[in-house]
Amino acid sequence: MNIRQFQSGELKLWGFNWDEIPQEKREKIAFVAQEIKGFEWMRVIDYITYLGGFFPDYDKSYAKNLINKWGLTSSKKINDLSKGQKQILHVIQAFSIKPELLILDEPVAHLDPSMRRKFIAELIDIACENNMTVIFSSHIISDIERIANSVAILKGKKIALQYDVEHLKSSIAHVKIASNKSLKQSEYFSEFSHWQAYEQGATAKIIQPLSQDLESLVKESPYKIECTPMSMEDWYLEVNNEAD
């Protein structure tokens, strides 16, 4: 967002280096930070109208509709809003400029589950309607699972893992391998993690897409395999534990 100067590497959007992006493309970028301060003295409707004026595609009627739909009071001062209400206000402002690129940094951290679902439903609608790219940073894994088509994990300032969500979800699983004896991990199961042998087989976990699809691996296995799908939240915890 050009808030800080990066020390190395390069950033390109739409084929342009960051400092060469034309103004008409910059107006297509919206950003919602986790914490936003400023304009506390303004009323909700004045804030939306004022910031919207900087963007040619700002849709005032859409903004007013979301204000009513999400229970904000137009005449209320920003300083009198709760943290969750302030987050919603900034999301409404970002949605209403109809961006091509929307960057959200922990946008639902202060929202209750009901409001999070409303936000996600609206996000999906507006993203599809406007062919919008959304970069969504969050620690609430269930929300990411509902909306993302690609997921990445950032560790040590670098992207450590990145997968297509549907491909990942079709692969990750808790696994139980049955046998009449304790099983050591063989080459056939080399892509399994957290292998644990026991008297009649072994248990393991699959935390990354396999070189062959899971259905084929189970069918061709020399031992009976029972797979239980793993949630994205469980996957996230397993990946972190493995890295630690």
Side-chain angles (χ1 to χ4, degrees), residues 1-7 11 18 157:
M1 294 312 300
N2 209 31
I3 296 173
R4 297 180 181 177
Q5 294 295 319
F6 50 81
Q7 296 171 320
L11 175 61
W18 177 254
K157 302 180 182 180

Side-chain angles (χ1 to χ4, degrees), residues 122-172:
E122 192 70 31
L123 176 61
I124 292 171
D125 287 346
I126 192 173
C128 293
E129 180 184 336
N130 294 280
N131 195 27
M132 183 171 67
T133 297
V134 181
I135 299 176
F136 190 124
S137 171
S138 178
H139 288 85
I140 304 176
I141 309 301
S142 57
D143 289 339
I144 295 175
E145 190 170 0
R146 289 191 190 103
I147 61 175
N149 57 12
S150 177
V151 62
I153 290 183
L154 191 67
K155 290 185 74 71
K157 302 180 182 180
K158 294 182 179 180
I159 292 179
L161 297 170
Q162 185 171 5
Y163 298 112
D164 173 87
V165 169
E166 290 306 315
H167 182 43
L168 179 65
K169 287 173 66 176
S170 67
S171 301
I172 55 177

Side-chain angles (χ1 to χ4, degrees), residues 32-91:
V32 180
Q34 183 175 357
E35 299 285 348
I36 301 177
K37 294 183 179 180
F39 304 98
E40 279 82 2
W41 52 273
M42 292 185 90
R43 295 184 306 153
V44 166
I45 190 61
D46 294 333
Y47 172 81
I48 289 290
T49 303
Y50 171 71
L51 287 186
F54 291 97
F55 299 89
D57 293 330
Y58 167 64
D59 189 336
K60 187 174 182 179
S61 61
Y62 174 71
K64 285 183 175 180
N65 179 58
L66 282 185
I67 286 172
N68 295 328
K69 183 177 179 180
W70 289 350
L72 296 185
T73 304
S74 296
S75 59
K76 205 168 187 177
K77 287 186 177 180
I78 294 176
N79 194 49
D80 296 328
L81 300 177
S82 67
K83 284 186 176 181
Q85 289 173 326
K86 287 178 182 177
Q87 266 192 322
I88 283 297
L89 176 61
H90 297 306
V91 166

Side-chain angles (χ1 to χ4, degrees), residues 168-188:
L168 179 65
K169 287 173 66 176
S170 67
S171 301
I172 55 177
H174 300 278
V175 179
K176 183 177 180 181
I177 304 109
S179 174
N180 58 6
K181 61 180 180 179
S182 178
L183 291 177
K184 292 184 178 180
Q185 189 168 6
S186 64
E187 179 65 26
Y188 189 83

